[in-house]
Amino acid sequence: MIRKLLLIRKKAMKSDLIKSQGLTTFAKSEPLNVSPAAWNDEAGLSHYGFVLEGMKLKDMEKLNEWIDTSEDTLLQDMDKDMRPEEALAKLGLRINAAA
Amino acid sequence: MSVITGSFPPGPYTVTYKGSTVGLMEGPIRHQQNLIGLPIRASLYGQNILDYVVQGGGVFSVITVKEWTVAAKALMWPFNASHGIFPLTGTLINQFFGTLVLTALAGTPAATVGPVTRTYEICGLLPGHNIDVTFGPTERNVPVVVCSLPEQNSSTVGQPKYFTDT
């Protein structure tokens, strides 16, 4: 099963972005409020994160086309048992609980 | 009158190595990378280079640490807490390396323009670089050159990935 963490820079986020990219089916949980691990909570968010699950190869191809052309997005691998916090930590990021 | 604007990305970055902060630094962190390519020539065209065959490359960073923190010392010498002890001959260096993370200071143009973070997953002292440590009544600024080792890029087998930006 393909499982990924999609990160979108805060400045590029729009309310219908996930829907417009056809990812609603795969983004099963609430968006994550993400900050760099080195920032305190009051510094704000840098990204929004979405755990994407259940994609097939053709869905990945379409997603990669978008990711490859956008500077403000990133896909991070997630093993089936990996928590979002662990995937974020690998990138120097964390969930901002204060947001 | 209006200011001439551009996508200028200045701003300090903080650094952690193996999960701990390196502390204060001197000057900017310098990231360097290069691509290695084998030139293709043909006698019909003499020495004109017709194309290159990509052979990989290297990624390096230069960081000048000012403090004597655990992370700064590990950056200088990732092999042992005691800098006088070298790793066993024949060992592979990757086992001593760790993750280097650069984070833009919140509220700066660097944090807006990006990258907000740059993460080198497998990073450590570049073999051959002389660690130059001063002992005396002056600042102890130690320039450290580190290299990154590649991971497998998950989406393409055979493609190395040296760092990730967010």
Side-chain angles (χ1 to χ4, degrees), chain A residues 4 7 9 11 36-39 43 46-47 64 71-77 89-93, chain B residues 14 99 101 103-107 111-117 119 121 151 154-155 161 164-166:
Chain A
K4 302 278 186 182
L7 285 171
R9 293 286 306 278
K11 65 176 184 173
W39 290 10
S46 58
H47 300 78
N64 279 327
E71 287 183 356
D72 297 318
T73 57
L74 171 72
L75 270 185
Q76 176 72 0
D77 289 338
K90 290 170 79 68
L91 300 167
L93 301 171
Chain B
T14 57
T99 302
V101 182
T103 305
L105 194 66
T112 303
V113 175
V116 179
T117 67
T119 303
E121 189 68 30
E151 301 176 277
S154 64
S155 53
K161 182 173 80 169
T164 308
D165 285 346
T166 67

Side-chain angles (χ1 to χ4, degrees), chain B residues 71-84:
Chain B
K73 287 187 282 181
L75 200 62
M76 292 173 215
W77 198 252
F79 314 105
N80 204 297
S82 167
H83 288 188

Side-chain angles (χ1 to χ4, degrees), chain B:
Chain B
M1 182 179 74
S2 57
V3 174
I4 300 168
T5 60
S7 187
F8 305 123
Y13 280 75
T14 57
V15 176
T16 62
Y17 184 58
K18 296 186 178 181
S20 299
T21 182
V22 161
L24 295 174
M25 293 166 286
E26 179 84 353
I29 301 140
R30 306 195 76 88
H31 165 93
Q32 300 171 352
Q33 69 187 74
N34 65 66
L35 186 76
I36 301 167
L38 295 181
I40 296 176
R41 296 182 176 89
S43 56
L44 182 64
Y45 296 98
Q47 294 302 307
N48 285 290
I49 295 172
L50 308 179
D51 206 335
Y52 289 92
V53 181
V54 172
Q55 297 286 299
V59 169
F60 314 93
S61 299
V62 186
I63 301 170
T64 301
V65 300
K66 293 182 77 74
E67 295 192 60
W68 206 243
T69 60
V70 168
K73 287 187 282 181
L75 200 62
M76 292 173 215
W77 198 252
F79 314 105
N80 204 297
S82 167
H83 288 188
I85 300 177
F86 282 55
L88 282 173
T89 300
T91 51
L92 295 180
I93 206 170
N94 78 81
Q95 65 184 287
F96 303 104
F97 279 11
T99 302
L100 183 76
V101 182
L102 312 184
T103 305
L105 194 66
T108 61
T112 303
V113 175
V116 179
T117 67
R118 174 165 285 188
T119 303
Y120 306 84
E121 189 68 30
I122 313 168
C123 185
L125 179 71
L126 175 68
H129 167 67
N130 280 356
I131 292 295
D132 190 333
V133 181
T134 53
F135 290 87
T138 59
E139 292 177 290
R140 184 179 288 173
N141 294 332
V142 181
V144 183
V145 180
V146 296
C147 63
S148 290
L149 301 180
E151 301 176 277
Q152 171 69 51
N153 186 24
S154 64
S155 53
T156 310
V157 175
Q159 186 175 51
K161 182 173 80 169
Y162 284 86
F163 60 88
T164 308
D165 285 346
T166 67

